Amino acid sequence: AFLQKRSGKSRLWLLCDMLRCAIKFNAGYMDYKIAEMYRLSDEQKKTVITRGLSNTIVRRMNDKAYWHFFDDKTTFNELFQDHVRRGWIKIASDTDPAAFRAFLQQYPDVIAKPLEGSSGQGIEHFTSEHWLGREDAFFQELNDKGIGILEERVIQHPKMMEMCPTSVNTIRIATLLGDKKQGVVYAFLRIGNGKVMDNVDCGGMAARVDLATGKLLTVGADKAGNTYEKHPITGTPIIGFEVPFFPQAMEMCNLAALKVPQMRFVAWDVAITEDGPCFI
């Protein structure tokens, strides 16, 4: 019904076109909906990086023996500690209780994450009021929820706060180590819309970043297909917004890409703080 209303096409036409796009362009329903493929010619449809096509590229470009460096958050933090630049502790049955209490004392504002997973699923925000005087019970609660890592909360750059203060608005920067060329191939700013997470899957939106200038080139678009010229909560204009420290963010990703050259295509999540970029 949503696509019928938005496209003006019949249900039968849409079903046939979706099936054709699935077979010919490896497009799932969300690809079809977000890219509004019902409006595109075949030549335009070819340019859409669908989830299926993206997964094919990942499998072809990345040696599966090295995926664990990116799938497990503690392994990632250890390997890229210079660019993570924040305190963290692994939550497991053998975590030292004294080290856990010391971590909570040092960092009264933390983000809790499952060890694996994506799209912001299972991530929670806690402050010292959640655990003061009941640290052992808090540890057990984290274990029960499947939390695998606690991290010091990142405070984003004031300019990024202007866009949306409720979430850390991260840049998805993709790097490619090709046979003839290497570097950043695209970047999108993910913008929150009132929730703790900025992910499109959590109600956020995304806008493309110009690699040459660090400025946003497009309106923000969310998973429901809504587009925004200004942020609906803060009123900050989206097109033309300049991401602070963007050249440094690209340089950081290009350097990090060389650490595991067997992973030739990686999409990094980068936050911008007052001191510069860091990995999320």
Side-chain angles (χ1 to χ4, degrees):
F2 172 86
L3 287 180
Q4 280 180 267
K5 186 177 177 183
R6 177 151 287 195
S7 67
K9 308 284 188 183
S10 71
R11 180 182 171 83
L12 181 60
W13 188 95
L14 285 166
L15 286 171
C16 290
D17 196 48
M18 270 191 265
L19 180 61
R20 187 171 161 275
C21 286
I23 295 166
K24 193 167 183 181
F25 305 106
N26 217 341
Y29 171 73
M30 291 311 301
D31 296 318
Y32 189 87
K33 176 182 170 185
I34 292 170
E36 298 184 348
M37 293 180 81
Y38 48 81
R39 299 175 56 209
L40 307 180
S41 68
D42 275 10
E43 284 304 306
Q44 291 169 319
K45 285 171 181 172
K46 275 185 202 173
T47 68
V48 177
I49 303 294
T50 61
R51 179 63 63 92
L53 182 55
S54 176
N55 289 342
T56 301
I57 294 169
V58 167
R59 283 193 300 271
R60 194 173 73 234
M61 299 294 288
N62 298 333
D63 186 335
K64 197 162 187 177
Y66 294 85
W67 287 15
H68 69 280
F69 285 116
F70 299 87
D71 288 341
D72 183 291
K73 293 179 175 67
T74 57
T75 305
F76 180 91
N77 281 12
E78 285 167 358
L79 183 61
F80 298 104
Q81 182 62 51
D82 291 348
H83 304 308
V84 169
R85 299 196 297 113
R86 62 187 175 278
W88 60 275
I89 188 169
K90 186 172 183 176
I91 304 300
S93 56
D94 59 352
T95 299
D96 178 19
F100 177 72
R101 285 193 288 272
F103 179 86
L104 295 182
Q105 196 167 3
Q106 186 175 0
Y107 303 111
D109 192 356
V110 299
I111 297 293
K113 304 175 180 178
L115 272 194
E116 297 186 8
S118 59
S119 304
Q121 298 303 312
I123 292 179
E124 294 190 62
H125 174 213
F126 296 106
T127 58
S128 55
E129 64 188 36
H130 290 96
W131 66 69
L132 273 180
R134 53 182 297 276
E135 287 81 359
D136 291 343
F138 180 61
F139 179 80
Q140 191 56 51
E141 287 166 16
L142 295 176
N143 255 317
D144 292 345
K145 287 180 176 182
I147 296 299
I149 186 170
L150 275 192
E151 295 183 344
E152 172 190 4
R153 185 166 75 95
V154 170
I155 305 300
Q156 68 183 335
H157 193 286
K159 185 142 191 231
M160 304 300 277
M161 289 269 197
E162 289 174 17
M163 180 60 80
C164 180
T166 60
S167 61
V168 176
N169 306 290
T170 58
I171 319 160
R172 173 64 62 85
I173 299 178
T175 55
L176 184 70
L177 298 177
D179 295 328
K180 297 178 182 175
K181 200 173 177 183
Q182 66 185 46
V184 174
V185 288
Y186 68 76
F188 281 84
L189 179 65
R190 284 128 39 113
I191 305 164
N193 197 3
K195 294 184 180 178
V196 175
M197 299 304 300
D198 63 347
N199 300 66
V200 173
D201 286 330
C202 296
M205 63 193 84
R208 190 172 153 217
V209 185
D210 178 32
L211 302 183
T213 65
K215 292 182 178 180
L216 300 188
L217 289 171
T218 65
V219 296
D222 65 18
K223 202 168 184 176
N226 302 308
T227 57
Y228 304 90
E229 292 186 6
K230 294 182 177 180
H231 194 282
I233 296 173
T234 63
T236 301
I238 293 175
I239 297 176
F241 177 89
E242 189 170 350
V243 176
F245 292 110
F246 186 69
Q248 292 89 334
M250 287 205 300
E251 184 184 2
M252 180 180 77
C253 293
N254 280 325
L255 275 173
L258 299 174
K259 273 205 166 192
V260 190
Q262 297 84 357
M263 298 287 286
R264 297 170 67 192
F265 178 67
V266 178
W268 311 86
D269 288 341
V270 178
I272 305 294
T273 73
E274 278 196 281
D275 300 322
C278 65
F279 283 140
I280 293 291

